[in-house]
Amino acid sequence: LLNPDQPLESDAMISHAWGEDMTQVEEAIIDFSRRAGNGGDDLVIWFCLFALYQPGDEEGDEGPTIREQMKQPPFPPFESVIRSPHLRGMCLAVTSTKEPYERLWCVYELAVALDIMEQKKKEGDARGDDFVVVEFSRKAHDDYMKRMQEWASEKADAANIDVHTWSETQSLSAEQLYYLNKVKCQDAKCEKPEDEARIRKNVEEGWGWERLNRLVADFRRPAEKHAAEKGSASLL
C-alpha cells in the first residue's frame, strides 16, 4: 500500500505467532537481518502484519477481509511468498511470550517452507541449508535453553548418570531430542474452526504429523551455535 508504483520481490518471510511481545519480535528480526548480509539494510522482508490488510474484518471497514486475501489464487499469500523463486528463506521468530508451535498457521507455514527446503537441497540449490531458520529474542533464547537443560537433566537423573554422559549416549543431539519429545505440531490450534479444519486436512493428506514433527526437530540449528551467537552458555 505504501509502495504501489515500485513493488519489490521479497528476500525473506517472517513467520510469527501473533499475540507475542512485539519488542522481542523486532529484536529477533533485527538479528536475522544482520546475519542475512550487508547488515540487513537492503533486505526485503514479507511480514504479514504489514503485508496483509489487517482491519478488513472490523465493522464498517470496506476491506478486503483477511479471508478474502487468503483466498487469492493459486495459493494463500504466505504460501505464494514461500514458493517464490526469488525468496532466500523464511525466518520463524520466537519470543518468550507466545509459542509458535502452538499456532496452527505457524505450523503450516513451517511445513510448506521445510518441504521447499528439502526440494532445494535435492536440487543442489545453495539456499537449501538455511532456507528455514529460527530466530529467538534473547529472552526466548534464555528461556528455551533453561527448559532444554532441565529436561535433559531429568532424563539423565532417570538414567542415574550425569547429563554430559547421557548426552553422549544419545544418537541425536539434546536439542533434537527435546523437540521430538516436547513439540507436537498436531496439538496446535487455530482461532477460526474452518481454517483449522482446512490446515489439518492439508497436513494429514500431505506430510503427516509424525513426519512434520520429525522435520521440525531435524532442521533446527544446533543450540550450541545459536548460544554462541547470543553470547551465552551451550545447552549442556
Side-chain angles (χ1 to χ4, degrees), residues 105-172:
W105 274 113
C106 281
V107 168
Y108 188 37
E109 291 165 359
L110 193 55
V112 173
L114 288 173
D115 199 37
I116 292 174
M117 184 170 77
E118 280 199 338
Q119 293 176 23
K120 291 188 181 299
K121 285 182 178 180
K122 291 177 182 177
E123 295 166 357
D125 191 312
R127 293 170 293 178
D129 289 338
D130 294 313
F131 188 76
V132 183
V133 298
V134 173
E135 192 63 60
F136 294 86
S137 69
R138 181 172 295 276
K139 180 66 166 59
H141 167 266
D142 292 346
D143 285 355
Y144 263 82
M145 293 289 285
K146 182 179 179 181
R147 275 185 276 170
M148 289 181 191
Q149 289 167 344
E150 290 175 347
W151 176 83
S153 294
E154 289 175 2
K155 293 295 182 182
D157 289 345
N160 199 30
I161 54 178
D162 66 83
V163 69
H164 294 286
T165 302
W166 173 83
S167 179
E168 290 173 357
T169 64
Q170 306 304 308
S171 60
L172 299 175

Side-chain angles (χ1 to χ4, degrees), residues 14 16 18 20 22 25 29 46-55 66:
I14 303 298
H16 71 119
W18 285 91
E20 69 271 83
M22 290 309 296
V25 172
I29 292 175
W46 194 93
F47 188 14
C48 63
L49 183 63
F50 303 109
L52 295 178
Y53 185 69
Q54 300 296 332
I66 292 293

Side-chain angles (χ1 to χ4, degrees), residues 83-223:
R83 294 184 183 280
S84 166
H86 181 83
L87 197 75
R88 289 160 56 181
M90 188 187 88
C91 170
L92 178 65
V94 181
T95 72
S96 65
T97 56
K98 194 72 173 179
E99 175 57 73
Y101 302 106
E102 294 176 357
R103 181 177 181 248
L104 200 53
W105 274 113
C106 281
V107 168
Y108 188 37
E109 291 165 359
L110 193 55
V112 173
L114 288 173
D115 199 37
I116 292 174
M117 184 170 77
E118 280 199 338
Q119 293 176 23
K120 291 188 181 299
K121 285 182 178 180
K122 291 177 182 177
E123 295 166 357
D125 191 312
R127 293 170 293 178
D129 289 338
D130 294 313
F131 188 76
V132 183
V133 298
V134 173
E135 192 63 60
F136 294 86
S137 69
R138 181 172 295 276
K139 180 66 166 59
H141 167 266
D142 292 346
D143 285 355
Y144 263 82
M145 293 289 285
K146 182 179 179 181
R147 275 185 276 170
M148 289 181 191
Q149 289 167 344
E150 290 175 347
W151 176 83
S153 294
E154 289 175 2
K155 293 295 182 182
D157 289 345
N160 199 30
I161 54 178
D162 66 83
V163 69
H164 294 286
T165 302
W166 173 83
S167 179
E168 290 173 357
T169 64
Q170 306 304 308
S171 60
L172 299 175
S173 72
E175 186 182 19
Q176 286 177 300
L177 289 168
Y178 174 85
Y179 276 91
L180 280 172
N181 281 270
K182 292 294 186 180
V183 175
K184 304 298 180 186
C185 293
Q186 62 268 34
D187 294 337
K189 301 296 182 182
C190 203
E191 182 180 350
K192 297 182 178 180
E194 59 270 27
D195 288 344
E196 179 161 341
R198 177 161 51 86
I199 292 173
R200 289 191 180 281
K201 182 174 183 291
N202 288 344
V203 172
E204 288 162 7
E205 291 180 353
W207 307 273
W209 296 110
E210 184 177 350
R211 178 170 177 261
L212 181 54
N213 287 330
R214 183 74 187 206
L215 285 172
V216 167
D218 288 349
F219 95 95
R220 302 280 294 110
R221 289 187 302 169

